[in-house]
Amino acid sequence: QVQLVESGGGVVQPGRSLRLSCVVSGFTFSSYGMHWVRQAPGKGLEWVAVISYDGSNEYYGESVKGRFTITRDNSKNTLFLLMNSLTSEDTAVYYCVKDPRRGGTVAGYSDNWGQGTLVTVSS
Amino acid sequence: DIQMTQSPSTLSASVGDRVTITCRASQSISSWLAWYQQKPGKVPKLLIYKASSLESGVPSRFSGSGSGTEFTLTISSLQPDDFATYYCQQYNSYSLTFGGGTKVEIK
């Protein structure tokens, strides 16, 4: 079955950086686009970024553009999110999410979610 | 960015009720809309994609409709397992956005 396991969350000071990882199994990772979606405590869902199956295209939400970078290593079935210049507004559970479309452009919605990793930005 | 507005934000209903949740887009998104269900402490679950296509394994009491800027999620007969928060999400453009959520509570 599809499994997505995030790691790398924790407490970080404002202005610092953090890198999240997501190791996947149960599907051909190199064939699917992947997203990061976040959810602040007690709040709704916010899409963060998407990367194409081969890493050639990436797009970001306005609130993270220029600060966050999504990448992937298809040889290791791993998705990453590098987060720079963190602020308290970035405090959230970060979910690694699979796009349902195989190859080509991403569909844009999500058919499998990881359990999430909590990032807390606090001094 | 395309703004997604859900209504109501909270809905109180009883088991067996027909429930309708509305999602409005700030501009036309054709049929590029998905619906998710999230229970407390759990990850979101895909219910509907392309406005009206039911995800595999989702009970048939869930249905979606609409196109352009106005969409609805309907639960034909609310079951105890359906008390949760529901989110719509547009994927018309590469700045994907979610609605604010609708919490379905027990009346």
Side-chain angles (χ1 to χ4, degrees), chain B residues 14-46:
Chain B
S14 301
V15 172
D17 284 353
R18 181 180 181 88
V19 167
T20 298
I21 298 169
T22 298
C23 180
R24 289 187 175 88
S26 60
Q27 65 188 71
S28 178
I29 58 170
S30 185
S31 296
W32 305 120
L33 186 98
W35 289 96
Y36 302 88
Q37 175 194 66
Q38 186 178 31
K39 297 178 183 178
K42 302 295 186 182
V43 302
K45 173 188 174 183
L46 176 66

Side-chain angles (χ1 to χ4, degrees), chain A residues 35 37 39 43-47 50 59-62 95 100-101 105-111 113-116, chain B residues 1 32 34 36 38 41-46 48-50 55 87 89-91 94-101:
Chain A
H35 306 257
V37 175
Q39 187 168 34
K43 302 297 184 182
L45 301 168
E46 180 184 11
W47 175 77
V50 62
Y59 301 92
Y60 298 91
E62 285 299 318
Y95 295 103
R101 183 173 294 162
T105 58
V106 296
Y109 62 97
S110 313
D111 63 353
W113 297 61
Q115 290 300 309
Chain B
D1 284 3
W32 305 120
Y36 302 88
Q38 186 178 31
K42 302 295 186 182
V43 302
K45 173 188 174 183
L46 176 66
I48 301 281
Y49 61 95
K50 207 174 179 185
E55 173 70 350
Y87 295 94
Q89 180 227 325
Q90 68 80 19
Y91 52 102
Y94 279 129
S95 187
L96 314 176
T97 45
F98 289 88

Side-chain angles (χ1 to χ4, degrees), chain A residues 1 36 59 66 68 70 72 75 90 94-96 107 111 118:
Chain A
Q1 72 279 20
W36 287 99
Y59 301 92
F68 288 13
I70 186 172
R72 63 190 299 158
S75 68
D90 298 314
Y94 285 74
Y95 295 103
C96 166
D111 63 353
L118 176 62

Side-chain angles (χ1 to χ4, degrees), chain B residues 55-94:
Chain B
E55 173 70 350
S56 176
V58 174
S60 59
R61 62 181 179 273
F62 291 93
S63 64
S65 64
S67 66
T69 62
E70 187 150 339
F71 303 85
T72 58
L73 173 70
T74 299
I75 309 172
S76 60
S77 178
L78 196 66
Q79 298 302 301
D81 193 47
D82 302 336
F83 291 96
T85 299
Y86 294 84
Y87 295 94
C88 61
Q89 180 227 325
Q90 68 80 19
Y91 52 102
N92 180 71
S93 66
Y94 279 129

